[in-house]
Amino acid sequence: MAWLRKPIRGILMDITGVLYESGERKAIEGSIDALRMLRTADIPFRFITNETQKTKEQLDSVLHRLGFDIYEREMFMCVPAAKKFIHDLNYRPFLLVHPNVEAEFAECNQNEPNCVVVGDAASNFSYENMNRAFHVLVDNDDSVLITLGKGKYYKEDGKMTMDVGPFTAALEASALQRPYATDRHAIVIGKPGEEFFRLALEDMKLRPEDVVMIGDDLVCDVGGAQSAGMRGVLVRTGKFRPEDENHPTIKPDAIVKNLLEAIERVLSTERPAKEVRPE
Amino acid sequence: MAWLRKPIRGILMDITGVLYESGERKAIEGSIDALRMLRTADIPFRFITNETQKTKEQLDSVLHRLGFDIYEREMFMCVPAAKKFIHDLNYRPFLLVHPNVEAEFAECNQNEPNCVVVGDAASNFSYENMNRAFHVLVDNDDSVLITLGKGKYYKEDGKMTMDVGPFTAALEASALQRPYATDRHAIVIGKPGEEFFRLALEDMKLRPEDVVMIGDDLVCDVGGAQSAGMRGVLVRTGKFRPEDENHPTIKPDAIVKNLLEAIERVLSTERPAKEVRPE
C-alpha cells in the first residue's frame, strides 16, 4: 500500500458522508469505532467540512446525538472562516445562505452589500434571491463573490441534492460580462480551496506531505487535498459512486470501504513504525 | 460605413429591447416607424427572439397593442423550434420553463423524462425545480439538456434580470461529473445558436452573407449572427450598456442609436444601389 509507505503524522476527515449520512439518523458503520480508536492513538486529527446548513454548535449537537465524541475546536467549517475573511477585508455581505447560519453573520454590516456569500442555501436559492445576488455583482464592479465550497451535490435522505457549486456557477456566468475585462470568479472558502485546508494543517502544526485527508467527495476532498500536497483517501460511503473510481484526472491514493478501514490501516502502520519492525 | 458596402438583401431583428422595452408598455422611439418603412420597402425581414415567457400568440398580441403590425409567420421563437426538435427525436421533456409556455408542450409525452428543457422560467427557477431537472440529468446517462437561448440577463421594468443562461450553466455544472467521460453541455435552441438563425434564413431563402441581424444583445444577437456568417448591428436600446462597445472579442459591424437608425441606413443604401448611382 504505497500511500502508507511515507509516515502519516496527522489526519483530516470530512464529516457528512464519512461519519454519518446526511438526513439519516445514524452513524455510518464503523465510524464511531474509528473515532474511538483515534482518541486512544497518538496521532493528531481534525474534521474539515463544507457543511453550511448548520452552525458549529448545531453540527456538534447532531454528532453527539449520533454517538460521536467530538469537540468544536476540532472542527473546521466554512462559515466561521468566511466571517473572518469578510471582517478582515471589511466587506458588507449579501447572504445567499441557509437560514440556519444567517445569524452567524449578524455582526457584519449588511447595508449596501459589496460582496455575495453563497452557501448551501437550499430553498433560499429562489429566483428572487438569485437576482438580488446578481445585482450586488453587476451593480458594482468591485463587489466580490465568495462561495462556501464548490460541491456539486450531496446525498440527503438517500437522494442526490444540488449543492452550492452549481448556483455559484450560475452567478459567475451571470456576472461574467461586467466588466468585460475581468472574469468574475468566485473566491472559494471551503474545500477544495487550499487556504481552507491550511487552516486545519496549521492548527495541527503539520506539513501537508505528512497528512492524509479522508472524504467521500472525490473532487473537493481527495482532489483538493492532493492539490494542497496531502494524500487523499476516498471512502465508499456518503456521495461515493462507482464511477468515482475511474475519474480521468483525480486518482485517490487509496479507496476504502469506510472511515474505519482507513483509520485501521493508518494506525496499523503507524504503530509498527514506532517499534521499528520490518514491514 | 463598411457594413453597408456589400448589399443587404434581408433583415433579421430581435424583438424585446429592439421593438419595445420588456415590462414597459410602449414601443421604443422610432421602432414603429422603422417597421412601417420596412413594409413599404422591397426587402424581406423576419423577427427572431429568445422570448420564452410568452407564446407566439401572446407576444403577437402585445406587439399589436403597442402599435406594431406583425404577423405570426414572421416570428421565429425558441419554443416552437424546441417542440419540433423534441418531437423529431422522440424525447420526453421535463419542463423548466415559464408557466405561460408550458401548455405549448402539452402534446409531448412527459412521463419518465429523458430530457430537460430550460427556458426563462423566472420564479419557476425554484430550488425544488432545479433539483428535479438535476435528477433527470444525473439519473440517466443518456438524457439531454436543451436550453432555449443562452442569454445572461435582460431588462425588465428598467431593471436587469437573470435570464436562462446562468441557470443552464448551473445544470451543466451539476451534471458535468456524470458520466466522467462526457461533459454534458446544453443543446442550444435559440440565439446565439447557428441552427436557430438558419431557420429564419431558410424561410427568407437567403444566404447569411446577404443578411444583417439587428439586436440589443451583444453576445446572442451580434456575436451569434456574426458566427453564423451574417453582419451584426447593435442598437443602443434594451439591455445595451456602454461597455458593450468595448468587448474584447465581439465587434459589431455597426452600433446605432436604435432600430430606426439601422433601418434608415439599410434602406438608404439599398435604394440608391438599384439606381446604380456612384457611392
Side-chain angles (χ1 to χ4, degrees):
Chain A
M1 282 176 287
W3 68 289
L4 295 169
R5 239 169 253 149
K6 231 184 124 235
I8 288 172
R9 299 184 201 284
I11 298 173
L12 291 183
M13 285 163 282
D14 185 21
I15 293 180
T16 318
V18 173
L19 296 185
Y20 75 105
E21 299 284 3
S22 178
E24 293 180 16
R25 289 195 186 110
K26 61 183 179 40
I28 288 172
E29 190 197 335
S31 58
I32 292 178
D33 288 338
L35 208 57
R36 207 173 284 138
M37 287 165 65
L38 269 181
R39 289 262 173 240
T40 59
D42 185 25
I43 185 166
F45 59 89
R46 299 287 186 276
F47 301 93
I48 184 160
T49 174
N50 279 5
E51 168 69 71
T52 59
Q53 289 202 350
K54 295 180 183 73
T55 63
K56 212 176 234 199
E57 218 173 359
Q58 288 165 338
L59 180 57
D60 194 44
S61 129
V62 167
L63 291 170
H64 274 96
R65 267 204 312 276
L66 292 170
F68 294 100
D69 170 31
I70 282 179
Y71 303 94
E72 283 188 27
R73 64 169 186 276
E74 294 170 339
M75 300 195 308
F76 286 79
M77 295 182 75
C78 305
V79 167
K83 208 169 105 182
K84 185 175 183 311
F85 181 85
I86 287 167
H87 180 265
D88 289 352
L89 294 176
N90 259 316
Y91 279 119
R92 301 179 304 275
F94 168 73
L95 301 173
L96 190 50
V97 299
H98 194 274
N100 280 350
V101 299
E102 274 173 7
E104 297 280 294
F105 294 92
E107 290 159 35
C108 304
N109 176 3
Q110 293 171 40
N111 295 320
E112 295 178 38
N114 60 358
C115 97
V116 172
V117 178
V118 202
D120 177 13
S123 55
N124 261 359
F125 281 129
S126 64
Y127 185 60
E128 193 193 335
N129 284 339
M130 287 292 284
N131 258 304
R132 289 177 67 192
F134 163 68
H135 269 280
V136 171
L137 297 174
V138 290
D139 293 348
N140 178 354
D141 286 350
D142 298 323
S143 58
V144 298
L145 174 60
I146 296 172
T147 183
L148 306 182
K150 290 204 94 172
K152 287 170 188 281
Y153 46 77
Y154 56 93
K155 216 171 179 174
E156 188 161 69
D157 297 321
K159 206 172 147 78
M160 292 292 192
T161 304
M162 285 177 91
D163 200 352
V164 61
F167 294 92
T168 298
L171 289 171
E172 285 178 328
S174 74
L176 213 63
Q177 232 176 332
R178 180 194 174 93
Y180 285 126
T182 336
D183 285 357
R184 181 123 42 172
H185 286 300
I187 298 163
V188 185
I189 298 188
K191 301 175 286 184
E194 196 174 333
E195 282 304 314
F196 190 56
F197 284 117
R198 195 166 298 162
L199 295 175
L201 291 172
E202 280 172 5
D203 196 53
M204 293 194 290
K205 296 184 178 56
L206 288 173
R207 295 172 308 173
E209 56 268 39
D210 294 328
V211 174
V212 65
M213 166 76 204
I214 303 165
D216 66 328
D217 188 313
L218 184 75
V219 175
C220 294
D221 293 330
V222 175
Q226 289 177 334
S227 294
M230 287 176 270
R231 277 159 279 184
V233 169
L234 185 68
V235 289
R236 290 197 187 89
T237 55
K239 74 176 74 166
F240 169 83
R241 295 167 310 141
E243 51 266 54
D244 291 343
E245 306 205 15
N246 300 303
H247 191 278
T249 56
I250 304 175
K251 308 290 178 195
D253 291 279
I255 304 177
V256 296
K257 186 184 167 199
N258 54 22
L259 180 67
L260 181 61
E261 186 183 338
I263 297 301
E264 279 177 342
R265 291 208 195 169
V266 171
L267 295 184
S268 68
T269 52
E270 191 65 14
R271 280 174 296 197
K274 284 185 192 163
E275 297 165 31
V276 202
R277 286 204 308 211
E279 284 206 48
Chain B
M1 281 178 289
W3 68 288
L4 294 170
R5 239 169 253 149
K6 232 184 123 235
I8 287 172
R9 301 186 200 283
I11 298 173
L12 291 183
M13 285 164 281
D14 186 21
I15 293 180
T16 319
V18 174
L19 296 186
Y20 75 106
E21 299 283 3
S22 178
E24 292 179 18
R25 290 196 185 109
K26 61 182 182 35
I28 288 172
E29 190 197 335
S31 57
I32 291 178
D33 288 338
L35 208 56
R36 207 173 287 140
M37 287 165 66
L38 268 182
R39 289 262 174 241
T40 58
D42 183 26
I43 186 166
F45 58 89
R46 298 289 185 275
F47 301 94
I48 186 161
T49 172
N50 279 4
E51 167 69 70
T52 60
Q53 289 201 351
K54 294 182 184 73
T55 63
K56 212 176 233 201
E57 218 173 1
Q58 288 165 338
L59 181 55
D60 194 45
S61 130
V62 167
L63 290 170
H64 274 95
R65 266 205 314 277
L66 291 170
F68 292 100
D69 168 32
I70 283 180
Y71 302 96
E72 283 189 27
R73 63 170 188 275
E74 294 171 338
M75 301 196 303
F76 285 79
M77 296 183 75
C78 306
V79 168
K83 209 169 103 182
K84 184 174 184 311
F85 180 86
I86 286 168
H87 180 266
D88 290 352
L89 294 176
N90 258 318
Y91 279 119
R92 301 179 302 276
F94 169 73
L95 302 173
L96 191 50
V97 298
H98 195 275
N100 281 350
V101 299
E102 273 172 8
E104 298 278 294
F105 294 92
E107 290 159 34
C108 305
N109 177 3
Q110 293 172 41
N111 295 320
E112 294 177 38
N114 60 359
C115 97
V116 172
V117 178
V118 203
D120 178 13
S123 55
N124 262 358
F125 281 129
S126 64
Y127 184 61
E128 194 193 332
N129 284 339
M130 287 292 283
N131 259 304
R132 290 178 65 192
F134 163 68
H135 269 280
V136 172
L137 297 174
V138 291
D139 292 349
N140 178 355
D141 286 351
D142 298 323
S143 59
V144 298
L145 175 60
I146 295 172
T147 184
L148 306 182
K150 290 204 95 170
K152 288 169 186 281
Y153 46 77
Y154 56 93
K155 216 170 179 176
E156 188 161 69
D157 297 320
K159 207 173 146 77
M160 291 291 192
T161 304
M162 285 177 89
D163 199 351
V164 61
F167 295 93
T168 299
L171 289 172
E172 286 178 326
S174 74
L176 214 62
Q177 232 175 333
R178 178 192 176 94
Y180 285 127
T182 336
D183 285 359
R184 182 125 39 174
H185 287 300
I187 298 163
V188 185
I189 299 187
K191 300 174 289 184
E194 196 173 331
E195 282 305 314
F196 191 55
F197 283 117
R198 195 165 299 163
L199 295 175
L201 290 173
E202 281 172 4
D203 196 53
M204 293 194 291
K205 298 186 178 54
L206 288 173
R207 295 173 307 172
E209 56 267 37
D210 294 327
V211 173
V212 64
M213 166 76 205
I214 303 165
D216 66 327
D217 188 314
L218 184 74
V219 176
C220 294
D221 293 329
V222 175
Q226 290 176 334
S227 295
M230 287 174 269
R231 278 159 278 185
V233 169
L234 185 68
V235 289
R236 290 198 186 89
T237 56
K239 73 175 75 167
F240 169 83
R241 296 165 312 138
E243 51 267 53
D244 291 343
E245 307 205 13
N246 300 302
H247 191 278
T249 57
I250 303 175
K251 307 291 178 196
D253 290 279
I255 305 177
V256 295
K257 186 182 166 199
N258 54 23
L259 180 66
L260 180 61
E261 186 183 338
I263 297 302
E264 280 176 343
R265 290 209 195 168
V266 172
L267 296 184
S268 68
T269 53
E270 192 63 17
R271 281 173 295 196
K274 285 187 192 161
E275 298 165 29
V276 201
R277 287 204 308 212
E279 284 206 45

